[in-house]
Amino acid sequence: MSEERVDYGGIKVGDMVIINRHRWVRGDPNWREEMNRYLGQEAKVVRLSGVDSQGCPGVRIDIDGGRFFWRVRDIQKVGEEEEAPFPAKPTVFPQECRQAPGKERYGQATVGAAVMVGRHRPVDGQDNWNDQMDRFVGRRARIVEQVGVDEQGCPGVRIDLDNGQWFWRIRDLRLISGDEAISQGASPLFNEHGRPELPDQGDGGGLF
């Protein structure tokens, strides 16, 4: 999009949103380490902030004092946490949590399936996440075990990438198919990006 033609997808000033890890766009990481501390937290939108260098609309939020640019494609309104922050196929990997132990649905999240690892989105305010899991986000893996549900009733699996160490919610994985050959390299789909902090002089002028 452009500064003149920008669509914020229904996000407006005053909305409460949940912060998610940004995805890459055209290979642009565009992220600062200081942004990590806000992942999974709720914040209020204080300003609609135009677009970044990749044409992605963004906003400023109160939790960081308006310091960083947050792409609207990677945040969710509070109450809409069940929506995936990336193009997903809910019929492939069920998105529902609050499932009863022993009655969980895995869809195509079967042993041997090749997946892309994503960061857990909060459910009932809980993301079941450890900072040590960050290094696996955006990488490809294979499912090695189905392991029931977590405290929020979200079905999960073990993967080969971390030698089965962590519980990964299937709602935040993406099925790899066809010519997406499995590898251990990083993928642009789930890595982080953002736009550096700006001085208080507007959001135009080619800043990104």
Side-chain angles (χ1 to χ4, degrees), residues 11 15-22 38-45 59 61-63 70-85 98 119-127 169 171:
I11 299 288
D15 281 346
M16 294 300 297
V17 297
I18 293 175
I19 304 303
N20 287 306
R21 189 177 296 271
H22 295 178
Y38 303 109
L39 293 174
Q41 298 191 45
E42 292 187 8
K44 180 184 292 186
V45 174
V59 297
I61 56 177
D62 63 348
I63 198 171
W70 300 93
R71 287 178 171 172
V72 298
R73 69 198 296 266
D74 297 301
I75 60 176
Q76 302 143 331
K77 287 185 181 180
V78 171
E80 296 180 357
E81 294 88 343
E82 294 298 320
E83 296 184 4
R98 308 177 187 89
R119 194 185 196 284
H120 295 175
R121 290 163 284 153
V123 174
D124 298 331
Q126 301 297 321
D127 60 5
R169 289 175 173 172
R171 67 197 300 267

Side-chain angles (χ1 to χ4, degrees), residues 28 31 35 37 44 69 74 78 87 104 122 134 136-137 150 160 166 179 182 190 204 207-208:
D28 183 6
W31 180 266
M35 298 168 75
R37 73 187 69 170
K44 180 184 292 186
F69 178 97
D74 297 301
V78 171
E104 59 271 11
D134 286 347
F136 301 110
V137 172
D150 62 12
D160 61 353
W166 302 106
D179 57 359
I182 193 71
F190 289 104
L207 295 170
F208 62 94

Side-chain angles (χ1 to χ4, degrees), residues 86-95 106-118 139-143 170-180 182 189-190:
F86 53 87
K89 299 178 180 178
T91 57
V92 174
F93 287 173
Q95 299 292 294
Y106 286 96
Q108 294 186 30
T110 55
V111 172
V115 297
M116 195 76 71
V117 178
R139 300 181 64 184
R140 297 180 172 100
R142 285 194 185 277
I143 295 174
I170 63 173
R171 67 197 300 267
D172 298 300
L173 302 176
R174 174 179 174 271
L175 184 66
I176 297 175
S177 59
D179 57 359
E180 291 185 272
I182 193 71
L189 290 179
F190 289 104

